[in-house]
mmCIF file of all heavy atoms in Angstrom:
data_model
loop_
_atom_site.group_PDB
_atom_site.id
_atom_site.type_symbol
_atom_site.label_atom_id
_atom_site.label_comp_id
_atom_site.label_asym_id
_atom_site.label_seq_id
_atom_site.Cartn_x
_atom_site.Cartn_y
_atom_site.Cartn_z
ATOM 1 N N SER A 1 -4.971 -7.823 -50.601
ATOM 2 C CA SER A 1 -5.374 -6.587 -50.876
ATOM 3 C C SER A 1 -4.759 -6.181 -52.337
ATOM 4 O O SER A 1 -4.064 -6.917 -52.928
ATOM 5 C CB SER A 1 -4.941 -5.604 -49.799
ATOM 6 O OG SER A 1 -3.399 -5.620 -49.680
ATOM 7 N N PHE A 2 -4.986 -4.895 -52.706
ATOM 8 C CA PHE A 2 -4.586 -4.375 -54.011
ATOM 9 C C PHE A 2 -3.705 -3.100 -53.901
ATOM 10 O O PHE A 2 -4.023 -2.399 -52.868
ATOM 11 C CB PHE A 2 -5.678 -4.224 -54.936
ATOM 12 C CG PHE A 2 -6.453 -5.575 -55.293
ATOM 13 C CD1 PHE A 2 -7.535 -5.914 -54.567
ATOM 14 C CD2 PHE A 2 -5.897 -6.237 -56.416
ATOM 15 C CE1 PHE A 2 -8.095 -7.118 -54.827
ATOM 16 C CE2 PHE A 2 -6.744 -7.429 -56.580
ATOM 17 C CZ PHE A 2 -7.763 -7.890 -55.925
ATOM 18 N N GLN A 3 -2.694 -2.971 -54.771
ATOM 19 C CA GLN A 3 -1.946 -1.802 -54.663
ATOM 20 C C GLN A 3 -2.684 -0.663 -55.165
ATOM 21 O O GLN A 3 -3.701 -0.705 -55.740
ATOM 22 C CB GLN A 3 -0.780 -2.124 -55.633
ATOM 23 C CG GLN A 3 0.131 -3.249 -55.215
ATOM 24 C CD GLN A 3 0.988 -3.704 -56.388
ATOM 25 O OE1 GLN A 3 1.252 -3.047 -57.440
ATOM 26 N NE2 GLN A 3 1.537 -4.950 -56.204
ATOM 27 N N TYR A 4 -2.196 0.471 -54.945
ATOM 28 C CA TYR A 4 -2.861 1.779 -55.282
ATOM 29 C C TYR A 4 -1.794 2.956 -55.355
ATOM 30 O O TYR A 4 -0.684 2.772 -54.766
ATOM 31 C CB TYR A 4 -3.900 2.256 -54.350
ATOM 32 C CG TYR A 4 -3.488 2.397 -52.822
ATOM 33 C CD1 TYR A 4 -3.046 3.738 -52.389
ATOM 34 C CD2 TYR A 4 -3.514 1.370 -51.958
ATOM 35 C CE1 TYR A 4 -2.600 3.884 -51.083
ATOM 36 C CE2 TYR A 4 -3.019 1.581 -50.659
ATOM 37 C CZ TYR A 4 -2.532 2.778 -50.239
ATOM 38 O OH TYR A 4 -2.176 3.037 -48.943
ATOM 39 N N ASP A 5 -2.062 4.001 -56.187
ATOM 40 C CA ASP A 5 -1.112 5.017 -56.206
ATOM 41 C C ASP A 5 -1.191 6.027 -55.008
ATOM 42 O O ASP A 5 -2.339 6.361 -54.667
ATOM 43 C CB ASP A 5 -1.228 5.826 -57.562
ATOM 44 C CG ASP A 5 -0.203 6.895 -57.778
ATOM 45 O OD1 ASP A 5 1.006 6.337 -58.184
ATOM 46 O OD2 ASP A 5 -0.433 7.956 -57.563
ATOM 47 N N SER A 6 -0.070 6.457 -54.459
ATOM 48 C CA SER A 6 -0.199 7.394 -53.289
ATOM 49 C C SER A 6 -0.876 8.707 -53.532
ATOM 50 O O SER A 6 -1.507 9.280 -52.648
ATOM 51 C CB SER A 6 1.168 7.573 -52.660
ATOM 52 O OG SER A 6 2.005 8.259 -53.903
ATOM 53 N N SER A 7 -0.996 9.023 -54.844
ATOM 54 C CA SER A 7 -1.704 10.303 -55.034
ATOM 55 C C SER A 7 -3.262 10.250 -54.674
ATOM 56 O O SER A 7 -3.921 11.239 -54.509
ATOM 57 C CB SER A 7 -1.530 10.584 -56.570
ATOM 58 O OG SER A 7 -2.373 9.617 -57.394
ATOM 59 N N LEU A 8 -3.856 9.011 -54.627
ATOM 60 C CA LEU A 8 -5.218 8.866 -54.224
ATOM 61 C C LEU A 8 -5.433 9.249 -52.855
ATOM 62 O O LEU A 8 -6.378 9.945 -52.493
ATOM 63 C CB LEU A 8 -5.682 7.511 -54.444
ATOM 64 C CG LEU A 8 -5.598 6.890 -55.855
ATOM 65 C CD1 LEU A 8 -6.327 5.496 -55.971
ATOM 66 C CD2 LEU A 8 -6.360 7.719 -56.843
ATOM 67 N N ILE A 9 -4.482 9.040 -51.915
ATOM 68 C CA ILE A 9 -4.586 9.276 -50.590
ATOM 69 C C ILE A 9 -4.579 11.025 -50.488
ATOM 70 O O ILE A 9 -5.317 11.528 -49.763
ATOM 71 C CB ILE A 9 -3.433 8.917 -49.769
ATOM 72 C CG1 ILE A 9 -3.523 7.271 -49.718
ATOM 73 C CG2 ILE A 9 -3.584 9.216 -48.305
ATOM 74 C CD1 ILE A 9 -4.703 6.644 -49.156
ATOM 75 N N GLN A 10 -3.756 11.529 -51.375
ATOM 76 C CA GLN A 10 -3.581 13.068 -51.308
ATOM 77 C C GLN A 10 -4.882 13.688 -51.830
ATOM 78 O O GLN A 10 -5.218 14.844 -51.359
ATOM 79 C CB GLN A 10 -2.408 13.493 -52.225
ATOM 80 C CG GLN A 10 -1.105 12.973 -51.615
ATOM 81 C CD GLN A 10 0.037 13.146 -52.724
ATOM 82 O OE1 GLN A 10 -0.151 13.724 -53.773
ATOM 83 N NE2 GLN A 10 1.253 12.462 -52.375
ATOM 84 N N MET A 11 -5.674 12.841 -52.605
ATOM 85 C CA MET A 11 -6.893 13.470 -53.086
ATOM 86 C C MET A 11 -8.028 13.090 -52.245
ATOM 87 O O MET A 11 -9.255 13.408 -52.557
ATOM 88 C CB MET A 11 -7.252 12.989 -54.512
ATOM 89 C CG MET A 11 -6.268 13.600 -55.531
ATOM 90 S SD MET A 11 -6.685 13.104 -57.213
ATOM 91 C CE MET A 11 -6.141 11.515 -57.457
ATOM 92 N N GLY A 12 -7.869 12.412 -50.984
ATOM 93 C CA GLY A 12 -8.790 12.288 -50.170
ATOM 94 C C GLY A 12 -9.288 10.788 -49.978
ATOM 95 O O GLY A 12 -10.150 10.601 -49.171
ATOM 96 N N ALA A 13 -8.765 9.833 -50.723
ATOM 97 C CA ALA A 13 -9.227 8.485 -50.540
ATOM 98 C C ALA A 13 -8.773 7.924 -49.191
ATOM 99 O O ALA A 13 -7.631 8.291 -48.670
ATOM 100 C CB ALA A 13 -8.538 7.610 -51.688
ATOM 101 N N THR A 14 -9.685 7.127 -48.512
ATOM 102 C CA THR A 14 -9.280 6.533 -47.216
ATOM 103 C C THR A 14 -9.019 5.097 -47.514
ATOM 104 O O THR A 14 -9.105 4.547 -48.597
ATOM 105 C CB THR A 14 -10.542 6.694 -46.404
ATOM 106 O OG1 THR A 14 -11.639 5.828 -46.898
ATOM 107 C CG2 THR A 14 -11.021 8.129 -46.132
ATOM 108 N N GLN A 15 -8.527 4.494 -46.431
ATOM 109 C CA GLN A 15 -8.270 2.967 -46.539
ATOM 110 C C GLN A 15 -9.510 2.277 -46.693
ATOM 111 O O GLN A 15 -9.633 1.275 -47.521
ATOM 112 C CB GLN A 15 -7.453 2.513 -45.255
ATOM 113 C CG GLN A 15 -6.126 3.091 -45.125
ATOM 114 C CD GLN A 15 -5.118 2.620 -46.265
ATOM 115 O OE1 GLN A 15 -5.342 1.437 -46.713
ATOM 116 N NE2 GLN A 15 -4.310 3.437 -46.594
ATOM 117 N N ALA A 16 -10.590 2.596 -46.133
ATOM 118 C CA ALA A 16 -11.825 2.070 -46.322
ATOM 119 C C ALA A 16 -12.363 2.179 -47.857
ATOM 120 O O ALA A 16 -12.901 1.279 -48.453
ATOM 121 C CB ALA A 16 -12.956 2.700 -45.483
ATOM 122 N N ASP A 17 -11.977 3.399 -48.532
ATOM 123 C CA ASP A 17 -12.247 3.451 -49.931
ATOM 124 C C ASP A 17 -11.475 2.428 -50.718
ATOM 125 O O ASP A 17 -11.983 1.768 -51.746
ATOM 126 C CB ASP A 17 -11.888 4.851 -50.430
ATOM 127 C CG ASP A 17 -12.773 6.037 -49.885
ATOM 128 O OD1 ASP A 17 -13.950 5.683 -49.693
ATOM 129 O OD2 ASP A 17 -12.251 7.051 -49.592
ATOM 130 N N LEU A 18 -10.164 2.214 -50.303
ATOM 131 C CA LEU A 18 -9.314 1.285 -51.068
ATOM 132 C C LEU A 18 -9.792 -0.110 -50.844
ATOM 133 O O LEU A 18 -9.750 -1.018 -51.812
ATOM 134 C CB LEU A 18 -7.919 1.596 -50.644
ATOM 135 C CG LEU A 18 -7.379 2.930 -51.098
ATOM 136 C CD1 LEU A 18 -6.180 3.212 -50.428
ATOM 137 C CD2 LEU A 18 -7.392 3.159 -52.578
ATOM 138 N N LEU A 19 -10.302 -0.376 -49.638
ATOM 139 C CA LEU A 19 -10.826 -1.774 -49.427
ATOM 140 C C LEU A 19 -12.101 -2.096 -50.268
ATOM 141 O O LEU A 19 -12.096 -3.050 -51.113
ATOM 142 C CB LEU A 19 -11.272 -1.700 -47.861
ATOM 143 C CG LEU A 19 -12.068 -3.072 -47.498
ATOM 144 C CD1 LEU A 19 -11.297 -4.229 -47.582
ATOM 145 C CD2 LEU A 19 -12.586 -2.913 -46.068
ATOM 146 N N GLU A 20 -12.943 -1.003 -50.359
ATOM 147 C CA GLU A 20 -14.077 -1.181 -51.252
ATOM 148 C C GLU A 20 -13.751 -1.261 -52.656
ATOM 149 O O GLU A 20 -14.364 -2.052 -53.436
ATOM 150 C CB GLU A 20 -14.910 0.151 -50.963
ATOM 151 C CG GLU A 20 -16.448 0.038 -51.417
ATOM 152 C CD GLU A 20 -17.214 1.274 -50.914
ATOM 153 O OE1 GLU A 20 -16.853 2.232 -51.350
ATOM 154 O OE2 GLU A 20 -18.045 1.015 -50.030
ATOM 155 N N ALA A 21 -12.646 -0.569 -53.202
ATOM 156 C CA ALA A 21 -12.298 -0.691 -54.474
ATOM 157 C C ALA A 21 -11.933 -2.221 -54.800
ATOM 158 O O ALA A 21 -12.250 -2.692 -56.026
ATOM 159 C CB ALA A 21 -10.857 0.064 -54.690
ATOM 160 N N GLY A 22 -11.257 -2.941 -53.835
ATOM 161 C CA GLY A 22 -11.058 -4.406 -54.126
ATOM 162 C C GLY A 22 -12.306 -5.191 -54.274
ATOM 163 O O GLY A 22 -12.431 -6.004 -55.196
ATOM 164 N N SER A 23 -13.344 -4.797 -53.504
ATOM 165 C CA SER A 23 -14.637 -5.466 -53.645
ATOM 166 C C SER A 23 -15.257 -5.131 -54.918
ATOM 167 O O SER A 23 -15.848 -6.206 -55.468
ATOM 168 C CB SER A 23 -15.522 -4.985 -52.383
ATOM 169 O OG SER A 23 -16.802 -5.583 -52.500
ATOM 170 N N PHE A 24 -15.231 -4.051 -55.416
ATOM 171 C CA PHE A 24 -15.781 -3.664 -56.658
ATOM 172 C C PHE A 24 -15.185 -4.459 -57.739
ATOM 173 O O PHE A 24 -15.891 -4.838 -58.741
ATOM 174 C CB PHE A 24 -15.605 -2.077 -56.974
ATOM 175 C CG PHE A 24 -16.614 -1.251 -56.287
ATOM 176 C CD1 PHE A 24 -17.094 -1.568 -55.026
ATOM 177 C CD2 PHE A 24 -17.028 -0.016 -56.705
ATOM 178 C CE1 PHE A 24 -18.051 -0.684 -54.429
ATOM 179 C CE2 PHE A 24 -17.866 0.857 -56.105
ATOM 180 C CZ PHE A 24 -18.430 0.494 -54.913
ATOM 181 N N PHE A 25 -13.910 -4.632 -57.745
ATOM 182 C CA PHE A 25 -13.215 -5.294 -58.738
ATOM 183 C C PHE A 25 -13.598 -6.849 -58.608
ATOM 184 O O PHE A 25 -13.806 -7.579 -59.679
ATOM 185 C CB PHE A 25 -11.625 -5.319 -58.428
ATOM 186 C CG PHE A 25 -10.829 -6.072 -59.281
ATOM 187 C CD1 PHE A 25 -10.832 -5.915 -60.834
ATOM 188 C CD2 PHE A 25 -10.007 -7.091 -58.680
ATOM 189 C CE1 PHE A 25 -10.105 -6.959 -61.531
ATOM 190 C CE2 PHE A 25 -9.148 -7.930 -59.579
ATOM 191 C CZ PHE A 25 -9.260 -7.833 -60.974
ATOM 192 N N LEU A 26 -13.591 -7.426 -57.491
ATOM 193 C CA LEU A 26 -14.004 -8.827 -57.436
ATOM 194 C C LEU A 26 -15.377 -9.184 -57.729
ATOM 195 O O LEU A 26 -15.539 -10.134 -58.309
ATOM 196 C CB LEU A 26 -13.777 -9.339 -55.924
ATOM 197 C CG LEU A 26 -12.408 -9.528 -55.402
ATOM 198 C CD1 LEU A 26 -12.377 -10.156 -53.943
ATOM 199 C CD2 LEU A 26 -11.718 -10.622 -56.316
ATOM 200 N N ASP A 27 -16.342 -8.231 -57.560
ATOM 201 C CA ASP A 27 -17.718 -8.291 -58.235
ATOM 202 C C ASP A 27 -17.547 -8.575 -59.699
ATOM 203 O O ASP A 27 -18.124 -9.539 -60.231
ATOM 204 C CB ASP A 27 -18.599 -7.069 -57.867
ATOM 205 C CG ASP A 27 -19.697 -6.821 -58.745
ATOM 206 O OD1 ASP A 27 -20.153 -7.862 -59.387
ATOM 207 O OD2 ASP A 27 -20.108 -5.670 -58.805
ATOM 208 N N SER A 28 -16.704 -7.715 -60.306
ATOM 209 C CA SER A 28 -16.633 -7.905 -61.831
ATOM 210 C C SER A 28 -15.901 -9.104 -62.167
ATOM 211 O O SER A 28 -16.355 -9.860 -63.153
ATOM 212 C CB SER A 28 -15.844 -6.699 -62.336
ATOM 213 O OG SER A 28 -15.595 -6.801 -63.739
ATOM 214 N N VAL A 29 -14.869 -9.661 -61.435
ATOM 215 C CA VAL A 29 -14.223 -10.843 -61.649
ATOM 216 C C VAL A 29 -15.302 -12.055 -61.667
ATOM 217 O O VAL A 29 -15.296 -12.878 -62.572
ATOM 218 C CB VAL A 29 -13.118 -11.145 -60.600
ATOM 219 C CG1 VAL A 29 -12.531 -12.630 -60.780
ATOM 220 C CG2 VAL A 29 -12.025 -9.996 -60.748
ATOM 221 N N GLY A 30 -16.012 -12.172 -60.379
ATOM 222 C CA GLY A 30 -17.024 -13.272 -60.330
ATOM 223 C C GLY A 30 -18.019 -13.117 -61.450
ATOM 224 O O GLY A 30 -18.267 -14.155 -62.077
ATOM 225 N N HIS A 31 -18.515 -11.922 -61.786
ATOM 226 C CA HIS A 31 -19.567 -11.816 -62.811
ATOM 227 C C HIS A 31 -19.007 -12.332 -64.204
ATOM 228 O O HIS A 31 -19.618 -13.050 -64.990
ATOM 229 C CB HIS A 31 -19.910 -10.372 -62.891
ATOM 230 C CG HIS A 31 -21.180 -10.155 -63.683
ATOM 231 N ND1 HIS A 31 -21.558 -8.842 -64.048
ATOM 232 C CD2 HIS A 31 -22.116 -10.934 -64.290
ATOM 233 C CE1 HIS A 31 -22.803 -8.972 -64.784
ATOM 234 N NE2 HIS A 31 -23.108 -10.198 -64.878
ATOM 235 N N SER A 32 -17.653 -11.845 -64.493
ATOM 236 C CA SER A 32 -17.153 -12.160 -65.815
ATOM 237 C C SER A 32 -16.909 -13.726 -65.921
ATOM 238 O O SER A 32 -17.322 -14.271 -67.064
ATOM 239 C CB SER A 32 -15.736 -11.524 -65.881
ATOM 240 O OG SER A 32 -15.861 -10.094 -65.866
ATOM 241 N N TYR A 33 -16.442 -14.283 -64.799
ATOM 242 C CA TYR A 33 -16.324 -15.703 -64.896
ATOM 243 C C TYR A 33 -17.569 -16.508 -65.215
ATOM 244 O O TYR A 33 -17.600 -17.437 -66.097
ATOM 245 C CB TYR A 33 -15.696 -16.258 -63.540
ATOM 246 C CG TYR A 33 -15.352 -17.714 -63.413
ATOM 247 C CD1 TYR A 33 -13.964 -18.115 -63.423
ATOM 248 C CD2 TYR A 33 -16.255 -18.696 -63.325
ATOM 249 C CE1 TYR A 33 -13.736 -19.473 -63.332
ATOM 250 C CE2 TYR A 33 -16.018 -19.966 -63.179
ATOM 251 C CZ TYR A 33 -14.629 -20.295 -63.263
ATOM 252 O OH TYR A 33 -14.208 -21.647 -63.178
ATOM 253 N N LEU A 34 -18.667 -16.141 -64.458
ATOM 254 C CA LEU A 34 -19.914 -16.862 -64.632
ATOM 255 C C LEU A 34 -20.632 -16.555 -66.005
ATOM 256 O O LEU A 34 -21.271 -17.377 -66.475
ATOM 257 C CB LEU A 34 -20.849 -16.475 -63.434
ATOM 258 C CG LEU A 34 -20.336 -16.979 -62.152
ATOM 259 C CD1 LEU A 34 -21.328 -16.534 -61.046
ATOM 260 C CD2 LEU A 34 -20.361 -18.434 -62.077
ATOM 261 N N LEU A 35 -20.350 -15.475 -66.439
ATOM 262 C CA LEU A 35 -20.916 -15.051 -67.785
ATOM 263 C C LEU A 35 -20.261 -16.071 -68.937
ATOM 264 O O LEU A 35 -20.876 -16.732 -69.717
ATOM 265 C CB LEU A 35 -20.649 -13.724 -68.240
ATOM 266 C CG LEU A 35 -21.591 -12.560 -67.630
ATOM 267 C CD1 LEU A 35 -20.964 -11.180 -68.044
ATOM 268 C CD2 LEU A 35 -23.038 -12.737 -68.136
ATOM 269 N N ILE A 36 -18.916 -16.027 -68.773
ATOM 270 C CA ILE A 36 -18.130 -16.875 -69.802
ATOM 271 C C ILE A 36 -18.437 -18.422 -69.663
ATOM 272 O O ILE A 36 -18.695 -19.073 -70.622
ATOM 273 C CB ILE A 36 -16.610 -16.624 -69.754
ATOM 274 C CG1 ILE A 36 -16.258 -15.154 -70.226
ATOM 275 C CG2 ILE A 36 -15.842 -17.700 -70.359
ATOM 276 C CD1 ILE A 36 -14.811 -14.748 -70.026
ATOM 277 N N GLU A 37 -18.724 -18.798 -68.424
ATOM 278 C CA GLU A 37 -18.827 -20.195 -68.174
ATOM 279 C C GLU A 37 -20.140 -20.698 -68.771
ATOM 280 O O GLU A 37 -20.270 -21.932 -69.183
ATOM 281 C CB GLU A 37 -19.007 -20.449 -66.587
ATOM 282 C CG GLU A 37 -19.024 -21.883 -66.192
ATOM 283 C CD GLU A 37 -19.173 -22.017 -64.710
ATOM 284 O OE1 GLU A 37 -20.058 -21.284 -64.111
ATOM 285 O OE2 GLU A 37 -18.378 -22.862 -64.062
ATOM 286 N N GLN A 38 -21.050 -19.757 -69.033
ATOM 287 C CA GLN A 38 -22.442 -20.164 -69.698
ATOM 288 C C GLN A 38 -22.358 -20.223 -71.272
ATOM 289 O O GLN A 38 -23.462 -20.398 -71.886
ATOM 290 C CB GLN A 38 -23.445 -19.330 -69.185
ATOM 291 C CG GLN A 38 -23.792 -19.308 -67.659
ATOM 292 C CD GLN A 38 -24.556 -18.127 -67.242
ATOM 293 O OE1 GLN A 38 -25.688 -18.084 -67.616
ATOM 294 N NE2 GLN A 38 -24.121 -17.270 -66.436
ATOM 295 N N THR A 39 -21.177 -19.860 -71.818
ATOM 296 C CA THR A 39 -21.191 -19.724 -73.260
ATOM 297 C C THR A 39 -20.107 -20.641 -73.847
ATOM 298 O O THR A 39 -19.332 -21.336 -73.120
ATOM 299 C CB THR A 39 -20.738 -18.293 -73.640
ATOM 300 O OG1 THR A 39 -19.415 -18.092 -73.264
ATOM 301 C CG2 THR A 39 -21.577 -17.286 -72.922
ATOM 302 N N ASN A 40 -20.019 -20.644 -75.256
ATOM 303 C CA ASN A 40 -19.020 -21.489 -75.982
ATOM 304 C C ASN A 40 -17.645 -20.925 -75.710
ATOM 305 O O ASN A 40 -16.579 -21.597 -76.036
ATOM 306 C CB ASN A 40 -19.331 -21.540 -77.367
ATOM 307 C CG ASN A 40 -20.510 -22.349 -77.723
ATOM 308 O OD1 ASN A 40 -20.858 -23.292 -76.871
ATOM 309 N ND2 ASN A 40 -21.297 -22.042 -78.829
ATOM 310 N N PHE A 41 -17.504 -19.649 -75.201
ATOM 311 C CA PHE A 41 -16.205 -18.928 -74.999
ATOM 312 C C PHE A 41 -15.559 -19.755 -73.855
ATOM 313 O O PHE A 41 -14.331 -19.608 -73.516
ATOM 314 C CB PHE A 41 -16.366 -17.555 -74.602
ATOM 315 C CG PHE A 41 -16.686 -16.788 -75.970
ATOM 316 C CD1 PHE A 41 -18.026 -16.238 -75.951
ATOM 317 C CD2 PHE A 41 -15.794 -16.409 -76.835
ATOM 318 C CE1 PHE A 41 -18.329 -15.410 -77.092
ATOM 319 C CE2 PHE A 41 -16.144 -15.790 -78.012
ATOM 320 C CZ PHE A 41 -17.372 -15.082 -78.103
ATOM 321 N N ALA A 42 -16.215 -20.504 -73.061
ATOM 322 C CA ALA A 42 -15.668 -21.309 -71.929
ATOM 323 C C ALA A 42 -14.559 -22.289 -72.358
ATOM 324 O O ALA A 42 -13.687 -22.490 -71.593
ATOM 325 C CB ALA A 42 -16.726 -21.972 -71.280
ATOM 326 N N ILE A 43 -14.773 -22.729 -73.545
ATOM 327 C CA ILE A 43 -13.785 -23.751 -74.106
ATOM 328 C C ILE A 43 -12.347 -23.112 -74.216
ATOM 329 O O ILE A 43 -11.475 -23.886 -73.843
ATOM 330 C CB ILE A 43 -14.262 -24.318 -75.462
ATOM 331 C CG1 ILE A 43 -15.603 -25.024 -75.435
ATOM 332 C CG2 ILE A 43 -13.167 -25.234 -76.159
ATOM 333 C CD1 ILE A 43 -16.304 -25.183 -76.790
ATOM 334 N N LYS A 44 -12.353 -21.914 -74.532
ATOM 335 C CA LYS A 44 -11.061 -21.114 -74.603
ATOM 336 C C LYS A 44 -10.660 -20.499 -73.358
ATOM 337 O O LYS A 44 -9.421 -20.574 -73.127
ATOM 338 C CB LYS A 44 -11.226 -20.173 -75.779
ATOM 339 C CG LYS A 44 -10.003 -19.320 -76.166
ATOM 340 C CD LYS A 44 -10.081 -18.477 -77.277
ATOM 341 C CE LYS A 44 -8.743 -17.692 -77.584
ATOM 342 N NZ LYS A 44 -8.810 -16.780 -78.690
ATOM 343 N N TYR A 45 -11.441 -19.925 -72.656
ATOM 344 C CA TYR A 45 -11.092 -19.068 -71.431
ATOM 345 C C TYR A 45 -11.260 -19.661 -70.088
ATOM 346 O O TYR A 45 -10.670 -19.080 -69.215
ATOM 347 C CB TYR A 45 -11.897 -17.765 -71.664
ATOM 348 C CG TYR A 45 -11.422 -16.948 -72.854
ATOM 349 C CD1 TYR A 45 -12.345 -16.682 -73.837
ATOM 350 C CD2 TYR A 45 -10.130 -16.378 -72.899
ATOM 351 C CE1 TYR A 45 -11.900 -15.940 -75.050
ATOM 352 C CE2 TYR A 45 -9.736 -15.614 -73.970
ATOM 353 C CZ TYR A 45 -10.634 -15.354 -74.959
ATOM 354 O OH TYR A 45 -10.237 -14.667 -76.021
ATOM 355 N N LYS A 46 -12.090 -20.610 -69.795
ATOM 356 C CA LYS A 46 -12.265 -21.014 -68.658
ATOM 357 C C LYS A 46 -11.011 -21.568 -67.827
ATOM 358 O O LYS A 46 -10.921 -21.248 -66.656
ATOM 359 C CB LYS A 46 -13.374 -22.147 -68.579
ATOM 360 C CG LYS A 46 -13.940 -22.492 -66.988
ATOM 361 C CD LYS A 46 -15.101 -23.344 -67.119
ATOM 362 C CE LYS A 46 -15.567 -23.704 -65.679
ATOM 363 N NZ LYS A 46 -14.557 -24.332 -64.946
ATOM 364 N N SER A 47 -10.082 -22.253 -68.575
ATOM 365 C CA SER A 47 -8.936 -22.775 -67.874
ATOM 366 C C SER A 47 -8.174 -21.581 -67.415
ATOM 367 O O SER A 47 -7.437 -21.604 -66.491
ATOM 368 C CB SER A 47 -8.326 -23.712 -68.821
ATOM 369 O OG SER A 47 -7.928 -23.116 -69.986
#
C-alpha cells in the first residue's frame, strides 16, 4: 500500500479512496514502462 497525509482523511477521503489512489498510480507505472520499452529510451531507462 502507499502512505498518505492524515489531512486527507479530515477532508473526507476514505480508505477505499486511498486504495484506489494506489491503483491510479500503478496504471501510470505500467503505462510508462511499456511506452519506454518501445523506444530507444529503453537502452537508458529499462534497467
Side-chain angles (χ1 to χ4, degrees):
S1 64
F2 294 92
Q3 299 160 15
Y4 59 89
D5 188 80
S6 60
S7 65
L8 299 183
I9 300 297
Q10 296 167 9
M11 288 188 283
T14 66
Q15 289 301 319
D17 291 328
L18 299 167
L19 170 67
E20 196 171 67
S23 177
F24 282 26
F25 172 63
L26 282 183
D27 161 21
S28 179
V29 171
H31 194 191
S32 298
Y33 185 107
L34 293 177
L35 282 172
I36 288 174
E37 190 177 50
Q38 298 170 66
T39 70
N40 291 332
F41 289 106
I43 297 169
K44 181 174 182 179
Y45 289 112
K46 190 169 179 295
S47 59

